[in-house]
């Protein structure tokens, strides 16, 4: 019920259609249930005329039957239209809510669910819930209402003979309960396997160039096939169990029909129509069919709801998830300057993690300084800079920007003051101008060109036939890695940030271009704090401060010359890179 109430709140502006649909369905059922009674009365009228038929009365009954049929058709069509509006609108609201919720998630929340799982919940799970909602507001109203109306009418016209229909109900209920008990655990597992399947697709599509370069197509096809077979096998097991519904329903239905035909015909013949006439027999038979058909509908609803319950729970997991990063009650709306202070910072990605990713970080950076960060793979360089714009929160200690703890700022204000060019550069489908304006949506063409000149991007953009209107394919696949990096740096510069962080974002450009970018930033944005994470010492050697990270700890810090004298790690890196450059 908690899940149901949670999801029902997302019907929103489509409540009118959601209410109208069951009302129209009830009117449709009333018309359908009235037809057998009118038809039975007409049969009785014809059977008692003793050869003399009152055509006027027959015409009236026929007209009423036609009107009931047309009204039933009209109410059914209108119910279908309203049901479609309500269910599609409900699905739209649900997807929007899930998408908006995921946009508010911190990196920690996203790590918890995984990207592929969120995609499955936004697509497959929402579709399952939408279909169930559609059946609930239409079929789930129609079936019980028709069942109740039909059984009342069956007892009215058939008397004790209608008890035959009642016998079937406990059998069907027992069947449905047993089916649910067996099928539900399977559906719970199968949707988790859907996540694995989507993850396989996502990884393969994103890494298509790597797959082809290593000629691993067959391996990936086999891997996807295994994941697909896993989902298929579980669904097959569940469907085999659910398949019992239909034959049991059919068996019960036809058994009852045969019983009614046999007993009804026997009573009709024995009493020569005095106790149980032909019209009543016709009505009983029709109402019996309607009642059993409504039970069939209930069975179908049950199957669909059984499948969607786990989907509903998975959706509510996302909707109920609270972001681990929230705005304070009275946030600060101005970042004074680019000062950065790490005060006794310890950080780990998960509470249950045994080891800290960052341990005992004590680092103080003045506004306008250029700071280089180097270290081996896995030394937590990226983890360090992600704490500055609050992509993650510290576990212990504090990170201050502009003299205040980052947790005191309004998140949007803080992140607008910090531009981060992450290690994995991402461009979106659209023109170069549209991508650059992510940095500043109101930037003029002159500002775009100036930012691109600083990032050494204008030189290659001007060679494109369409210039800044060149269309970028999804993920920036139609530009090189170095071009993609320079466009991302230009986009970051357009924010006019107080702090600019380059996370190994010049690794794909040559050393000359790298030097030109650093020179432009030094001259054009002297008051902006610049943090450069790099593998090449040449990218950071002119920095005001160089920090060496090793296994999540600060191994040493100082200027290039000072570190060459006192740091063994720095000296080894410098020597290896210098020798490599000379050999080249």
């Amino acid at each position: 019920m908690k899940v149901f109430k949670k999801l029902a709140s997302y019907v929103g502006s489509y409540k009118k259609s959601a209410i109208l649909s069951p009302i129209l369905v009830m009117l449709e059922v009333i018309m359908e249930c009235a037809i057998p009674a009118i038809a039975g009365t007409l049969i009785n009228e014809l059977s008692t005329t003793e050869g003399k038929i009152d055509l006027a009365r027959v015409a009236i009954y026929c007209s009423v039957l036609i009107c009931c049929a047309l009204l039933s058709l009209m109410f059914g069509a209108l119910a279908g239209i309203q049901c479609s509006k309500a269910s599609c609108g409900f699905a739209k609201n649900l997807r929007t809510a899930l998408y908006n919720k995921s946009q508010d998630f911190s990196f920690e929340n996203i790590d918890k669910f995984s990207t592929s799982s969120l995609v499955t919940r936004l697509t497959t799970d929402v579709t399952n819930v939408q279909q169930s909602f559609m059946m609930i507001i239409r079929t789930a109203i129609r079936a019980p209402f028709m069942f109740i109306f039909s059984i009342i009418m069956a007892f009215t016209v058939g008397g004790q003979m209608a008890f035959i229909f009642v016998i079937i109900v406990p059998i069907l209920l027992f069947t449905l309960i047993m089916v649910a008990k067996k099928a539900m655990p399977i559906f719970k597992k199968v949707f988790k396997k859907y996540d694995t399947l989507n993850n396989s697709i996502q990884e393969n599509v994103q890494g298509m160039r790597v797959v082809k370069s290593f000629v691993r197509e067959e391996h990936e096809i086999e891997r996807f096939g295994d994941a697909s077979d896993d989902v298929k096998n579980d669904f097959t097991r569940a469907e085999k169990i659910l398949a019992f519904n239909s034959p049991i329903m059919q068996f019960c239905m036809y058994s009852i029909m045969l019983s009614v035909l046999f007993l009804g015909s026997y009573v009709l013949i024995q009493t020569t129509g005095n106790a149980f006439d032909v019209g009543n027999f016709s009505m009983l038979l029709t109402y019996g069919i309607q009642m059993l058909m409504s039970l069939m509908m209930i069975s179908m609803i049950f199957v669909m709801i059984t499948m969607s319950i786990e989907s509903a729970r998975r959706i509510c997991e996302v909707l109920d998830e609270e972001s681990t990063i929230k705005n304070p009650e009275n946030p600060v709306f101005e970042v004074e300057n680019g000062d950065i202070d790490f005060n006794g910072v310890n950080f780990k990605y998960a509470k249950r993690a045994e080891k800290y990713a960052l341990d005992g970080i004590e680092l103080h950076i003045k506004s306008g300084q250029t700071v280089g960060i180097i270290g081996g793979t896995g030394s937590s360089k990226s983890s360090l800079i992600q704490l500055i714009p609050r992509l993650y929160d510290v576990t212990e200690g504090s990170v201050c920007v502009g003299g205040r703890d980052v947790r005191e700022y309004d998140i949007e204000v803080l992140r607008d003051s910090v531009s981060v060019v992450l290690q994995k550069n991402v461009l979106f489908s659209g023109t170069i101008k549209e991508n650059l304006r992510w940095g500043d949506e109101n930037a003029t063409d002159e500002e775009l060109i100036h930012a691109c000149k600083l990032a050494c991007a204008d030189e290659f953009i001007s060679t494109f036939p369409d210039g800044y209107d060149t269309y970028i394919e999804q993920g920036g696949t139609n530009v090189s890695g170095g071009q993609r990096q320079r466009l991302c740096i230009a986009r970051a510069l357009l924010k006019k940030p107080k702090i600019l962080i380059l996370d190994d974002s010049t690794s794909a450009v040559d050393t000359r271009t790298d030097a030109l970018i650093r020179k432009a930033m030094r001259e054009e944005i002297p008051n902006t704090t610049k943090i450069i994470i790099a593998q090449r010492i040449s990218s950071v050697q002119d920095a005001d401060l160089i920090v060496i990270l090793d296994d999540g700890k600060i191994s040493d810090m100082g200027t290039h010359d000072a570190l060459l004298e006192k740091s063994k790690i720095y000296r080894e890196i410098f020597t290896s890179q210098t020798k490599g450059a000379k050999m080249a």
Side-chain angles (χ1 to χ4, degrees), residues 147-171:
F147 177 81
I148 293 167
F149 198 105
S150 296
I151 203 165
I152 290 170
M153 291 301 294
F155 273 102
T156 302
V157 300
Q160 294 183 347
M161 195 177 297
F163 275 107
I164 297 171
F165 299 116
V166 179
I167 296 170
I168 199 68
V169 176
I171 299 171

Side-chain angles (χ1 to χ4, degrees), residues 338-353:
D339 287 348
I340 304 170
D341 296 287
F342 287 81
N343 302 310
V345 169
N346 294 328
F347 169 72
K348 53 186 177 182
Y349 285 98
K351 292 178 181 178
R352 62 180 180 275

Side-chain angles (χ1 to χ4, degrees), residues 110 113-120 194-209 211 220 223-224 424 474:
I110 294 169
F113 287 106
S114 83
T115 306
S116 58
S117 179
L118 287 171
V119 170
T120 305
Y194 252 127
D195 295 344
T196 305
L197 185 68
N198 280 343
N199 187 52
S200 175
I201 296 168
Q202 181 187 348
E203 284 185 347
N204 186 269
V205 172
Q206 288 180 341
M208 185 63 71
R209 285 166 175 75
V211 172
E220 288 299 313
R223 181 172 164 233
F224 176 80
K424 293 182 179 179
Q474 185 178 11

